Amino acid sequence: MKYVLMIYNNPETWEDLSSEEQGGLIGEARALVAELTASGEWVGGEALAAWSRGRTVRVRDGDPIITDGPFIEAKEYLAGYCVIDCATEERALEIAVRWPDARICAIEVRPVEPP
């Protein structure tokens, strides 16, 4: 079963980390990707551009409304995602627990609906 791990981040939390701490978290994520690639569980994933570069699109009464950014009340924003293919939800949660961003913000785990 495929799962998407949505990585949430908070720019203030990230900026409070030293460059060594940031580098350590990035290194941990790369190591986990290498491990999941070797096990065949890694499908793909990407970091997303800064939230400030996003646009929100809505269509109301047939008219497109495009606004800058995903202006939300929360301080955390979607920073990236991973798609994994593993046997159980428990395994997907185990992987999410090991993703370093889970220690500083949050990881949302959601099954991917089959086509």
Side-chain angles (χ1 to χ4, degrees):
M1 174 112 197
K2 289 183 182 172
Y3 293 87
V4 64
L5 280 61
M6 291 173 275
I7 303 163
Y8 289 88
N9 208 322
N10 179 322
E12 292 175 12
T13 302
W14 183 256
E15 291 168 9
D16 286 344
L17 299 173
S18 69
S19 58
E20 293 80 18
E21 290 170 317
Q22 291 175 359
L25 292 172
I26 292 168
E28 284 182 53
R30 287 183 178 150
L32 185 52
V33 168
E35 178 186 322
L36 297 172
T37 299
S39 72
E41 295 172 299
W42 182 256
V43 175
E46 300 289 339
L48 300 176
W51 64 269
S52 60
R53 295 194 50 209
R55 303 293 176 261
T56 300
V57 177
R58 293 179 176 85
V59 177
R60 300 295 183 263
D61 297 322
D63 294 322
I65 302 166
I66 302 170
T67 58
D68 289 343
F71 297 110
I72 55 176
E73 298 297 322
K75 292 182 180 183
E76 294 179 349
Y77 65 94
L78 183 62
Y81 68 94
C82 306
V83 179
I84 56 174
D85 192 351
C86 52
T88 65
E89 180 180 21
E90 290 75 21
R91 175 65 178 147
L93 293 170
E94 176 185 306
I95 293 167
V97 166
R98 294 182 56 208
W99 199 268
D101 294 82
R103 292 195 308 269
I104 60 170
C105 285
I107 307 291
E108 180 180 346
V109 178
R110 197 179 307 174
V112 175
E113 290 289 333

